[in-house]
Each structure stands twice: as C-alpha cells, then as structure tokens.
Amino acid sequence: MTTWVIGDLHGCCHEFDELLEAIDFVPGRDHLWITGDLVNRGPQSLETLRRVYELREHASVVLGNHDLHLLAVAFGHGRLKPSDTLMDILEAPDRETLLEWLRRQPLMVESLIHQCVMTHAGLPPQWSLERARQYAREGEEMLSSRQFLEFLPHMYGNEPARFEPALRGNDRLRAIINVFTRMRFIDEHGTLDFSAKEGLDSAPEGFSPWFCFERGDTSRLIFGHWAALEGRAPGAQANVRSLDGGCVWGGVLMAMNLETDQVVTVAAKART
C-alpha cells in the first residue's frame, strides 16, 4: 500500500481528480492523507466534499480552519463571507450526512510506521508529540460530542493567543484549535500572531514561522494551510514539509509519496 499526502483542496475538485489519476491512486490498494481545508474559496466545494466522503475509508483527513468555518455557518454560529463558496453545501440534500462526517474528522493524524505526523497548520515547538496527541484528542472530543453546538459560539477568537496547560474550558479548547488550524507566526514563547497571513517577509517584529524553531523530536511533520509558501518551508528542519501549493490561487495541487518522498503536482485550471 502506498500512502500519498495531498495538500489543501479548497474546492478544487477537477484538480483533485486529475491528481488522483496522476499518482495512479487505487482505493483499497493505496491510502490518502489530506491536510485539511477541503472546502471554500474554490468553485467546487460540494463536489470536493462529496468526493472525499466517497473515499473516506481510504483517506485520513485533518480539519482545517475553512472546514471549521463551514461547520460554524451550517449550524448557525457563523456568517458567510463574500468570498465564501459554501452555499452549494448548505443547500445540498445530503448536507447533514456530509457535515456530520466532517465534524468527526481529527485535528492530527499520525503514522508510527512512517514516523510522520500531519496537521493542518503545524505544531509549535513547545509541544512534544505526546502533548500534541493529548491536545488533539481534547479538541476532537468536543467537536464530535453532543456539546458541539454549545461550543461553536465560543470557538472563534484570538484570545488567548498562547496556549498554556493551565487553561480550562472554552479558552483552552479555542487555544488548542487555533494552534492546529490557524498558526503561522509565533514568538519564542509560542504566542500566535493572527494578523500576518502572507509570505515570510510579513512576519511581525519578534515573530517567526513556527517551523523555524527547533523541535525536540525527529518525526516528519507535514502541514498545509499557508498557501503563500507555495509548498515550501524555508528555514525549516529537514523533517518538516509544506504541501499547500496554492492551487485555489492559481498555483498547484501537491501530492507526496510517504514512502519515497516523490512529489507530484497538477496545475490549477483557469477560472472563468
């Protein structure tokens, strides 16, 4: 079995299908990892979500910030933005099935065989893998629980900007989810900056990309989320890999073979 890791899809279903063909993906023989943000911004959010759902037994998906935005809007605790492309999902006859499956997806996927971890935005150097597993489970348990609807109004916010083990309740869960799904620049203490979203030269004073800080473990770490990096992570340790090629912005959709590190890309299709 070959495991392929694919970067953020963002509703680019045509490119997703083309990439699956390019890597000769065979369900039952091969397995997919997807770095999250299945939906939004691109033109085929519903088709993409349905396609991944069809492959669900053969795919491991982590939640991204746009996936969480869809859930918040769908369950009445968020507002559509002018740039959103989620209405087709919200009006779909199978929306309940798709959304219930989506909210039960993890924040972190790990393979001990490949010594590899995947999250949407990354992992801060202050977290060991053991701690990251614990925090991921806390967030996942809430998002898949009966208390999900009660938590949604409290999921958004930039405070606290730094996760502390002493945090409790909604503040703790919000900080955990922000790290897994929104992190880009941090300071040496692990404080997140939420204002800068462009390339590395947009770093606020005192902040650096999270992947430029040395980690204590040697597991490979794969992330998406940061389209401006175009699938690169300059200054990162050798075991860190960015796979968001910015397909929805005219870049490429990327896949990496976990066994060989081979990278396959397909170019974004022209938008009309």
Side-chain angles (χ1 to χ4, degrees):
M1 181 179 72
T2 299
T3 301
W4 289 91
V5 191
I6 296 181
D8 301 21
L9 299 179
H10 277 295
C12 297
C13 196
H14 287 322
E15 292 89 342
F16 181 41
D17 284 337
E18 185 177 337
L19 186 58
L20 293 181
E21 184 176 350
I23 63 176
D24 189 27
F25 177 76
V26 178
R29 185 194 69 185
D30 305 320
H31 193 78
L32 295 179
W33 283 15
I34 304 176
T35 62
D37 278 357
L38 306 182
V39 300
N40 213 11
R41 305 299 193 210
Q44 299 172 299
S45 287
L46 176 58
E47 291 89 340
T48 303
L49 188 55
R50 283 174 173 167
R51 187 81 173 92
V52 177
Y53 178 76
E54 290 171 357
L55 293 169
R56 63 193 180 279
E57 294 181 1
H58 312 289
S60 299
V61 177
V62 290
L63 287 167
N65 53 302
H66 284 272
D67 305 316
L68 293 175
H69 175 56
L70 167 61
L71 292 172
V73 171
F75 288 97
H77 296 290
R79 295 182 179 181
L80 285 174
K81 302 172 184 177
S83 58
D84 287 341
T85 59
L86 301 173
M87 188 58 71
D88 53 352
I89 298 175
L90 300 176
E91 295 178 344
D94 53 346
R95 60 167 273 170
E96 183 175 347
T97 297
L98 296 172
L99 295 174
E100 284 299 312
W101 170 80
L102 185 64
R103 77 180 180 100
R104 287 174 169 79
Q105 299 315 297
L107 294 169
M108 176 173 140
V109 168
E110 184 176 8
S111 170
L112 297 179
I113 295 175
H114 298 100
Q115 293 188 313
C116 188
V117 173
M118 175 182 69
T119 71
H120 179 61
L123 285 179
Q126 292 81 9
W127 290 8
S128 66
L129 281 182
E130 181 179 358
R131 290 291 187 187
R133 294 184 193 109
Q134 173 192 330
Y135 301 150
R137 285 195 297 268
E138 290 182 40
E140 293 159 5
E141 287 171 3
M142 172 54 74
L143 292 171
S144 63
S145 74
R146 293 182 179 180
Q147 289 74 45
F148 168 68
L149 292 179
E150 299 174 13
F151 170 65
L152 274 181
H154 307 283
M155 182 173 66
Y156 286 112
N158 296 343
E159 297 294 335
R162 182 172 69 198
F163 177 82
E164 298 283 359
L167 287 171
R168 295 292 180 268
N170 290 330
D171 283 350
R172 180 181 179 89
L173 290 167
R174 186 185 313 111
I176 287 172
I177 290 173
N178 279 344
V179 168
F180 279 111
T181 66
R182 297 179 64 199
M183 178 176 62
R184 288 187 178 94
F185 294 106
I186 64 173
D187 69 10
E188 61 182 339
H189 305 293
T191 304
L192 277 64
D193 172 82
F194 297 103
S195 61
K197 301 180 181 181
E198 301 303 322
L200 303 189
D201 58 356
S202 67
E205 185 176 355
F207 287 78
S208 297
W210 63 268
F211 51 75
C212 288
F213 293 88
E214 187 173 351
R215 291 188 57 83
D217 59 78
T218 58
S219 293
R220 284 191 290 173
L221 179 54
I222 301 175
F223 70 103
H225 181 54
W226 204 338
L229 297 180
E230 299 179 336
R232 299 184 293 271
Q237 297 181 70
N239 59 343
V240 177
R241 186 61 193 259
S242 167
L243 279 185
D244 186 351
C247 181
V248 73
W249 307 115
V252 297
L253 189 62
M254 306 177 67
M256 185 182 77
N257 185 319
L258 269 190
E259 283 76 28
T260 66
D261 290 340
Q262 174 193 7
V263 174
V264 177
T265 65
V266 298
K269 298 189 178 300
R271 310 296 185 206
T272 57

